[in-house]
Amino acid sequence: MQDSSDNRQAWKSRDDYFEQKNRKLREKYHLDHESQRKSYIFRNVTIHVDGYTQPGIVELRQMIYEHGGAYEQYFSRRLVTHVIATNLPHSKIREYK
């Protein structure tokens, strides 16, 4: 078993850490829910939900997975194609560009 200090050295940056964490979550979720796919209309779409939304995050995540998309809990410029939010402050808009 690897020591946690070894893991920290393996990550190049904070983004690297979250990207690896998200990858593991995606793989687990996809394996658990592959049989529930209804379509692939959201293929190549990866969402990130920021703040309160209606419908809520759990329902949005379920819908995107059912139709072939992906969900990222932590924002990554390399992976996220769409940000879903009711309201975004200007600082977040600048950060996401």
Side-chain angles (χ1 to χ4, degrees), residues 31-73:
L31 289 174
D32 292 347
H33 294 89
E34 188 61 37
S35 63
Q36 298 175 4
R37 290 283 160 143
K38 295 179 181 177
S39 73
Y40 288 91
I41 61 172
F42 292 132
R43 184 179 306 155
N44 299 325
V45 172
T46 302
I47 67 165
H48 169 72
V49 179
D50 192 313
Y52 174 80
T53 59
Q54 189 62 31
I57 191 170
V58 173
E59 192 175 343
L60 287 170
R61 182 177 54 208
Q62 183 65 33
M63 283 190 283
I64 199 80
Y65 278 133
E66 284 177 353
H67 297 285
Y71 166 78
E72 291 293 325
Q73 183 171 351

Side-chain angles (χ1 to χ4, degrees), residues 9-44:
Q9 291 173 358
W11 301 314
K12 296 174 187 165
S13 67
R14 179 178 175 268
D15 286 343
D16 246 13
Y17 167 77
F18 285 115
E19 191 171 319
Q20 287 181 23
K21 184 173 182 169
N22 275 328
R23 182 181 44 78
K24 287 179 184 178
L25 290 171
R26 273 193 314 273
E27 288 171 1
K28 181 189 180 324
Y29 197 88
H30 284 290
L31 289 174
D32 292 347
H33 294 89
E34 188 61 37
S35 63
Q36 298 175 4
R37 290 283 160 143
K38 295 179 181 177
S39 73
Y40 288 91
I41 61 172
F42 292 132
R43 184 179 306 155
N44 299 325

Side-chain angles (χ1 to χ4, degrees), residues 1 3 5 41 62 95:
M1 180 174 212
D3 181 29
S5 62
I41 61 172
Q62 183 65 33
E95 178 184 338

